[in-house]
Amino acid sequence: MLATHKDAEERYTKLRLAVLDEINKDLRTSQPNLRAALIDQSALSESKRWKSSTKRRVEWNWTEGYSVFRYRHPKRFEMALWNNKQLASLSLGRPTYQGTKLRLDFIEGNPDSAKDIRVFEYTFLAMAGYAEVLDASELRVMNPINASVRQYYERFGLVYVPKGDYLFVRL
């Protein structure tokens, strides 16, 4: 890893942690069982359990995918959401190359329990906080898995762009 890449990784990790600390302050009062954290080995190990769920709708390999994404995008957005000691969701995104938009590329809730938790709401809040820190003026959710998921995101004020297959909201 080049020194500049390492510096960027360290600098943006501090920013990600600061945003997650703010989210956790809100969660302690509204949802004390929930905790937002960076994606770590513990989260990646837990995500492997999702592979055996019959309710899982994606085939994303979080361990391999995260490793590649992490290396390529030191400015990335990432969040593991925990419900007590159970992993509730993982999300991963990055700023656009111009840095004016923050995109969510991957989000997955625990297929066996995520419906009990408003996973996207907390991810959306964390993304908005990280976008503010980066001075980005727009959030994007890339490639919604199907029409019902797209409609769910639209309830948060996101607008669908069919040509690019993403939703966006200006901040």
Side-chain angles (χ1 to χ4, degrees):
M1 186 180 302
L2 297 174
T4 55
H5 189 276
K6 183 180 178 194
D7 293 342
E9 180 68 37
E10 290 173 1
R11 183 171 58 253
Y12 286 95
T13 295
K14 288 178 186 176
L15 295 175
R16 286 188 287 273
L17 284 169
V19 168
L20 295 177
D21 283 346
E22 289 301 313
I23 294 297
N24 282 325
K25 286 178 187 174
D26 291 341
L27 288 174
R28 276 194 284 278
T29 58
S30 64
Q31 297 289 327
N33 293 341
L34 297 181
R35 177 180 57 86
L38 295 177
I39 297 173
D40 60 11
Q41 279 310 119
S42 177
L44 294 173
S45 292
E46 284 292 313
S47 75
K48 289 178 183 177
R49 296 180 187 194
W50 298 352
K51 290 179 184 180
S52 62
S53 175
T54 58
K55 298 176 185 174
R56 192 167 191 218
R57 297 190 293 178
V58 296
E59 293 298 322
W60 172 253
N61 181 323
W62 280 97
T63 303
E64 290 177 20
Y66 174 73
S67 177
V68 171
F69 202 92
R70 181 177 191 262
Y71 182 77
R72 286 188 183 156
H73 304 290
K75 296 179 183 181
R76 73 191 168 279
F77 167 80
E78 68 177 73
M79 186 173 83
L81 186 64
W82 293 87
N83 182 15
N84 291 318
K85 294 184 188 277
Q86 185 177 40
L87 183 63
S89 73
L90 291 172
S91 52
L92 196 55
R94 65 177 177 84
T96 57
Y97 292 110
Q98 300 81 14
T100 58
K101 300 162 185 71
L102 180 63
R103 43 185 281 171
L104 180 63
D105 293 285
F106 304 98
I107 182 170
E108 184 177 6
N110 184 325
D112 296 318
S113 66
K115 290 186 179 191
D116 303 333
I117 301 163
R118 299 182 317 258
V119 166
F120 182 72
E121 288 182 42
Y122 301 115
T123 302
F124 188 75
L125 288 172
M127 282 184 64
Y130 193 56
E132 184 178 339
V133 167
L134 297 178
D135 205 25
S137 59
E138 183 176 299
L139 296 180
R140 290 185 174 186
V141 178
M142 308 306 292
N143 307 310
I145 193 168
N146 59 39
S148 64
V149 169
R150 185 183 77 229
Q151 291 166 355
Y152 174 74
Y153 293 151
E154 289 173 333
R155 288 190 278 181
F156 292 88
L158 289 121
V159 176
Y160 184 62
V161 179
K163 185 177 179 182
D165 194 25
Y166 67 89
L167 297 103
F168 79 97
V169 64
R170 298 202 195 288
L171 300 175

